[in-house]
């Protein structure tokens, strides 16, 4: 069965430090991968997505993620954390465009320390 | 585009009352999803519509839950009768063929 694992339900970083949020998936077919961000009292907002092509994907707010097939990973990074990055981040996977079977990870809450 | 619009944003009701949550998807999107988010269970897919037709309602927890999509621009999720364990944030999302989901801001339901 397909699944998504996010390592670390809570991550704290200092302002200006590297952000690394981990996501691993299991899939028997090529995945489409997404990172969403959720700010307090808001819905989920797409940060970036991987479908095909270049494995390093750039998203909004300076975030990027790299699809590594051999490691079945899609980790999210940002070189320098900003206070406004504090939010919950969800990794999600689906299998072909147009399918409704999105599988979400359990989320990682990012705290940015001044 | 205004994005996915949900109402009400907050609803407080008493056990046994009927609750109706509303959603207007993004114009042109042919898929609509209702999710429920709780601390304990995370994001759960309740029901999925494609071209206004319910495709998969296996996530609807009980017969007390029902959802409709009478046209491409409107959907409702109804809980009757409501129970305290239904307290959660309910999200509507829509998508086009490009695949990414666009979420509304959610309806926070509290059942006393």
């Amino acid at each position: 069965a397909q699944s998504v694992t996010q390592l670390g339900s809570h991550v704290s970083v200092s302002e200006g430090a590297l952000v690394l949020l981990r996501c691993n998936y299991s899939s028997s077919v090529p995945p489409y991968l997404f990172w969403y961000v959720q700010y307090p009292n808001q819905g989920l907002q797409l940060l970036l997505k991987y479908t095909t092509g270049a494995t390093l994907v750039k998203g909004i707010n300076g975030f990027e993620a790299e699809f590594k097939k051999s490691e079945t990973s899609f980790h999210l990074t940002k070189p320098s954390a900003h206070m406004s990055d504090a939010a919950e981040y969800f990794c999600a996977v689906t299998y072909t465009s147009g399918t409704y079977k999105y599988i979400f990870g359990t989320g990682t809450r990012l705290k940015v320390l001044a | 585009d205004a994005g996915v619009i949900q109402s009400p944003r907050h609803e407080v009701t008493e056990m046994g009352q009927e609750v109706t949550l509303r959603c207007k998807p993004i114009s042109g999107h042919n898929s609509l999803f209702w999710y429920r988010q709780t601390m304990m269970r995370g994001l759960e897919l309740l029901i999925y519509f494609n071209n206004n037709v319910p495709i998969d309602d296996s996530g609807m927890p009980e017969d007390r839950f029902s959802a409709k999509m009478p046209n491409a621009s409107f959907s409702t999720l109804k809980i009757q009768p409501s129970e305290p364990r239904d307290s959660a944030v309910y999200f509507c999302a829509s998508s086009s063929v490009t695949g990414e989901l666009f979420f509304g801001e959610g309806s926070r339901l509290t059942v006393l």
Side-chain angles (χ1 to χ4, degrees):
Chain A
Q2 286 86 1
S3 65
V4 173
T5 302
Q6 291 185 240
L7 283 175
S9 59
H10 292 82
V11 170
S12 293
V13 300
S14 298
E15 191 173 20
L18 171 72
V19 176
L20 170 61
L21 305 182
R22 299 178 187 274
C23 174
N24 288 87
Y25 68 92
S26 68
S27 173
S28 56
V29 298
Y32 285 25
L33 295 155
F34 306 83
W35 275 100
Y36 288 85
V37 61
Q38 185 179 29
Y39 298 103
N41 300 314
Q42 294 186 26
L44 281 71
Q45 175 184 346
L46 181 69
L47 268 181
L48 49 80
K49 67 175 181 180
Y50 168 80
T51 53
T52 58
T55 56
L56 182 62
V57 180
K58 295 186 185 298
I60 62 172
N61 301 339
F63 284 93
E64 62 183 37
E66 186 170 13
F67 169 57
K68 292 187 176 180
K69 184 178 178 181
S70 61
E71 299 178 7
T72 61
S73 69
F74 191 56
H75 302 330
L76 182 70
T77 60
K78 182 174 181 178
S80 176
H82 191 274
M83 298 296 289
S84 60
D85 295 327
E88 188 151 22
Y89 293 80
F90 293 89
C91 182
V93 63
T94 188
Y95 304 103
T96 55
S97 181
T99 183
Y100 67 97
K101 288 291 190 183
Y102 295 86
I103 298 174
F104 283 87
T106 52
T108 298
R109 187 168 297 276
L110 176 66
K111 186 173 182 179
V112 182
L113 307 171
Chain B
D1 200 316
V4 176
I5 299 173
Q6 292 187 246
S7 65
R9 289 294 313 278
H10 301 274
E11 175 92 6
V12 180
T13 190
E14 294 190 345
M15 183 173 64
Q17 295 299 304
E18 178 179 293
V19 173
T20 299
L21 308 178
R22 298 172 177 80
C23 174
K24 176 179 169 56
I26 293 173
S27 177
H29 283 190
N30 61 343
S31 296
L32 184 138
F33 306 75
W34 282 100
Y35 284 90
R36 179 171 68 177
Q37 186 179 39
T38 61
M39 290 291 292
M40 293 297 294
R41 302 172 70 96
L43 266 171
E44 302 174 275
L45 176 63
L46 300 178
I47 188 168
Y48 159 69
F49 291 87
N50 186 249
N51 293 325
N52 311 340
V53 176
I55 302 299
D56 183 352
D57 66 355
S58 60
M60 298 284 262
E62 300 171 34
D63 291 345
R64 299 183 295 106
F65 286 69
S66 63
K68 294 182 179 179
M69 192 166 185
N71 57 62
S73 60
F74 185 65
S75 178
T76 59
L77 178 68
K78 187 175 293 186
I79 309 172
Q80 166 63 18
S82 58
E83 296 183 3
R85 61 193 166 118
D86 301 330
S87 298
V89 181
Y90 291 81
F91 287 103
C92 177
S94 67
S95 74
S96 65
V97 294
T98 57
E100 61 263 37
L101 298 176
F102 293 82
F103 284 80
E105 297 203 325
S107 294
R108 182 176 296 275
L109 173 64
T110 303
V111 183
L112 304 175

